[in-house]
Amino acid sequence: MKIRTALTLKYTCVTATIFLLCTVLIYLVSEHTRDQTFFRNLKSEGITKANLFLAGQVDARTMQSVYLNNRKFINEVEVAVYTTDFQMLYHDAIHNDIVKETQGMINAILKKKEIEFHIGKYQGIGMVYMYKGKQYIVTAAAYDGYGYSNLVGLQEALIIMFIVGLLLIFVAGYFLARMSLKPIRNIVNEAEIITASHINRRIPVKNEKDELGELSIAFNELLKRLEISFESQKQFVSNVSHELRTPLAALTAELDVSLQKERTCEQYRHAMLNMQQDAKRMTRLIDGLLNLAKADYSKEEISMREVRLDELLLDVRELIMRAHPDYNIELVFGNEDDDDDRLITTLGNPYLLNIAFSNLIENNCKYSANHSSMVQISFRDKWSVVRMSDNGFGMSDKDKENLFTLFYRGAKEQTVDGHGIGMTLAHKIVSLHGGNIVVNSEQGKGTIFVVELPHV
């Protein structure tokens, strides 16, 4: 069921329920008014007849004759007059006797002075009437034909009004729902046009302050993030293809040359060493790409625990020295504090932090003449600080500006092996851990990386 139909039905049901309650209330109030009005009429008629009889202005036979004649055409009030000791003085129609008075009724009237009651479809009253200082009991009863006739007319009018009103409410609800949901339909139409090839399109925002405007803005922000993601993905695939093509082309060329003619064992060995080097280069590139993908995870998806940076950096130093025995890495502890264990402990993922610091320290070693890096651990305020410096070639302003750009290679790319992944990966890992990374470098004076991570 569409929202428009559901809203129409809900609106109709709620409004119809309120409308029905109102019509029922009107009917009940009208019935109560009719009932009380007729009781007043009965009292007036009873007093009039009792007064005529007791005053002797009209004899009993004439009054009874008038009652019987009128009863054929209208709902005449039947009146009876009694003494306080239950002696009947006058009755309009004893053979009919709507009220059927009893001693108990007489006693109740004497006690309450006036009572109202219903006898089937008839209404009746009983009251004490004072005439010349003497008490009399007067009863009056009749059927309110005129009142009930008006009530039936009102009932029919209310039913017709309810049915017609219900139809009008349904139609009005349908058009209101259609008008209210038309902007959503427009949003849907616009969204259907947006595809991967037209992801730069945006949904127009007519009113930024209403809910649909907020929805459109949120949707446009989502499209913006998707567009950035798509562009990054396209650029990533393009760069990966380019980076993998070079070692694969070299590997293929080496194989082609080796298969062209018979060669000596030494020549085959030399070719295999070249192919091994190309294969290792591809392996490093693939490992870097996989680690880069892990660094793109959200913080909630990464397993975090308390990591002591001094122990982590010792492991990093040992790992780098094992792979590059000619590298020289010096660790220095800058602060002395009884609580420095806590101040150099951060909440993080050891594997990713190991990769980040390995890339930064290796970068120091690769770009310095003596392949050395000095690593200093300290702390300040809420940060654990790791400072990695070298006395190497340094970087130009352009290299510093693009240092953390994926696959970017600096001016020394011809002399130093790499893929342009390590710095981007280190930056993403540090950011993932809520830290900061700053680079200070001058050409010919070396490079300093400063990493700040929040300590526990």
Side-chain angles (χ1 to χ4, degrees), residues 4 14 29 37 46 67 108-109 140 152 192 194 205-206 235 273 278 333 336 344 346-347 379 396 401 410 446:
R4 180 174 57 190
V14 172
V29 170
T37 301
Y67 169 77
I109 295 170
V152 170
E192 288 175 346
I194 300 172
V205 180
K206 293 185 177 180
Q235 186 67 30
L273 287 173
D278 291 332
F333 295 91
E336 292 293 337
I344 59 172
T346 188
L347 189 67
F379 51 83
S396 65
E401 184 180 345

Side-chain angles (χ1 to χ4, degrees), residues 63 65 99 161 172 242 284 291 352 368 374 414 427 454:
M63 288 176 60
S65 176
V99 178
M161 186 172 64
H242 178 268
R284 289 195 301 271
N291 290 328
L352 292 177
S368 63
M374 177 177 287
Q414 301 299 328
H427 184 267

Side-chain angles (χ1 to χ4, degrees), residues 10 25 59 105 128 222 239 289 317 375:
K10 289 177 182 178
L25 183 62
D59 61 88
M105 180 183 291
V128 174
L222 173 62
N239 291 332
L289 294 173
R317 179 180 182 275
V375 183

Side-chain angles (χ1 to χ4, degrees), residues 3-5 7 173-191 203-204 206 210 212-213 215-216:
I3 296 178
R4 180 174 57 190
T5 306
L7 283 176
Y174 178 81
F175 281 104
L176 282 174
R178 184 175 179 179
M179 290 172 61
S180 299
L181 297 175
K182 186 178 179 181
I184 297 179
R185 181 71 259 175
N186 295 336
I187 293 174
V188 172
N189 293 335
E190 289 289 336
I203 294 173
K206 293 185 177 180
D210 65 12
L212 292 177
L215 175 64
S216 298

Side-chain angles (χ1 to χ4, degrees), residues 137-324:
I137 305 298
V138 178
T139 64
Y143 173 70
D144 186 13
Y146 178 76
Y148 278 117
S149 177
N150 288 338
L151 203 61
V152 170
L154 176 64
Q155 186 179 22
E156 292 175 352
L158 290 175
I159 291 173
I160 293 171
M161 186 172 64
F162 178 76
I163 295 172
V164 173
L166 193 62
L167 293 174
L168 293 175
I169 289 169
F170 180 82
V171 173
Y174 178 81
F175 281 104
L176 282 174
R178 184 175 179 179
M179 290 172 61
S180 299
L181 297 175
K182 186 178 179 181
I184 297 179
R185 181 71 259 175
N186 295 336
I187 293 174
V188 172
N189 293 335
E190 289 289 336
E192 288 175 346
I193 300 173
I194 300 172
T195 60
S197 56
H198 296 89
I199 200 167
N200 60 329
R201 292 180 64 96
R202 295 293 182 267
I203 294 173
V205 180
K206 293 185 177 180
N207 186 356
E208 296 181 357
K209 296 183 178 180
D210 65 12
E211 289 78 359
L212 292 177
E214 292 175 355
L215 175 64
S216 298
I217 292 171
F219 198 79
N220 287 337
E221 289 297 322
L222 173 62
L223 287 173
K224 182 180 178 181
R225 293 193 294 270
L226 286 175
E227 184 180 8
I228 295 172
S229 177
F230 281 1
E231 289 300 322
S232 300
Q233 186 182 41
K234 286 165 64 177
Q235 186 67 30
F236 181 80
V237 172
S238 175
N239 291 332
V240 168
S241 302
H242 178 268
E243 291 293 325
L244 286 174
R245 188 183 298 115
T246 302
L248 282 174
L251 187 61
T252 304
E254 203 66 53
L255 287 169
D256 289 340
V257 171
S258 301
L259 293 173
Q260 282 179 359
K261 60 180 180 178
E262 290 294 330
R263 293 177 177 272
T264 65
C265 289
E266 187 61 30
Q267 288 173 328
Y268 275 124
R269 178 179 176 81
H270 180 71
M272 291 179 68
L273 287 173
N274 289 337
M275 287 186 283
Q276 183 186 44
Q277 185 177 1
D278 291 332
K280 286 182 177 178
R281 185 181 177 190
M282 280 196 299
T283 300
R284 289 195 301 271
L285 176 59
I286 292 170
D287 286 342
L289 294 173
L290 289 174
N291 290 328
L292 191 65
K294 291 178 183 177
D296 281 329
Y297 292 168
S298 64
K299 194 170 183 178
E300 292 74 18
E301 298 177 277
I302 302 296
S303 174
M304 299 281 190
R305 64 179 178 84
E306 290 188 1
V307 180
R308 281 191 55 163
L309 292 178
D310 55 347
E311 296 176 355
L312 178 77
L313 289 169
L314 284 170
D315 292 339
V316 170
R317 179 180 182 275
E318 182 181 351
L319 183 66
I320 296 175
M321 296 290 289
R322 192 184 305 129
H324 305 281

Side-chain angles (χ1 to χ4, degrees), residues 82-87 103 106-107 110 128 135-137:
Y82 289 84
T83 61
T84 54
D85 57 355
F86 197 31
Q87 297 295 318
Q103 183 64 57
I106 299 299
N107 294 337
L110 286 171
V128 174
Q135 288 185 336
Y136 295 91
I137 305 298

Side-chain angles (χ1 to χ4, degrees), residues 292-418:
L292 191 65
K294 291 178 183 177
D296 281 329
Y297 292 168
S298 64
K299 194 170 183 178
E300 292 74 18
E301 298 177 277
I302 302 296
S303 174
M304 299 281 190
R305 64 179 178 84
E306 290 188 1
V307 180
R308 281 191 55 163
L309 292 178
D310 55 347
E311 296 176 355
L312 178 77
L313 289 169
L314 284 170
D315 292 339
V316 170
R317 179 180 182 275
E318 182 181 351
L319 183 66
I320 296 175
M321 296 290 289
R322 192 184 305 129
H324 305 281
D326 59 327
Y327 284 5
N328 179 36
I329 302 170
E330 183 180 355
L331 292 180
V332 179
F333 295 91
N335 301 66
E336 292 293 337
D337 193 285
D338 294 337
D339 199 26
D340 59 355
D341 286 351
R342 180 182 65 83
L343 297 175
I344 59 172
T345 301
T346 188
L347 189 67
N349 182 276
Y351 173 76
L352 292 177
L353 289 174
N354 190 302
I355 292 171
F357 285 116
S358 294
N359 288 335
L360 293 170
I361 295 172
E362 279 189 340
N363 193 83
N364 278 155
C365 294
K366 283 193 297 184
Y367 288 94
S368 63
N370 58 356
H371 301 302
S372 66
S373 175
M374 177 177 287
V375 183
Q376 183 179 8
I377 309 171
S378 60
F379 51 83
R380 59 180 177 80
D381 299 330
K382 65 175 184 177
W383 302 103
S384 299
V385 183
V386 180
R387 185 176 182 272
M388 293 149 283
S389 60
D390 65 59
N391 56 357
F393 311 122
M395 287 183 280
S396 65
D397 291 339
K398 181 182 178 183
D399 288 345
K400 283 193 291 184
E401 184 180 345
N402 295 284
L403 179 63
F404 300 118
T405 302
L406 185 61
F407 296 121
Y408 176 78
R409 302 296 311 284
K412 299 291 183 180
E413 64 173 317
Q414 301 299 328
T415 60
V416 179
D417 186 33

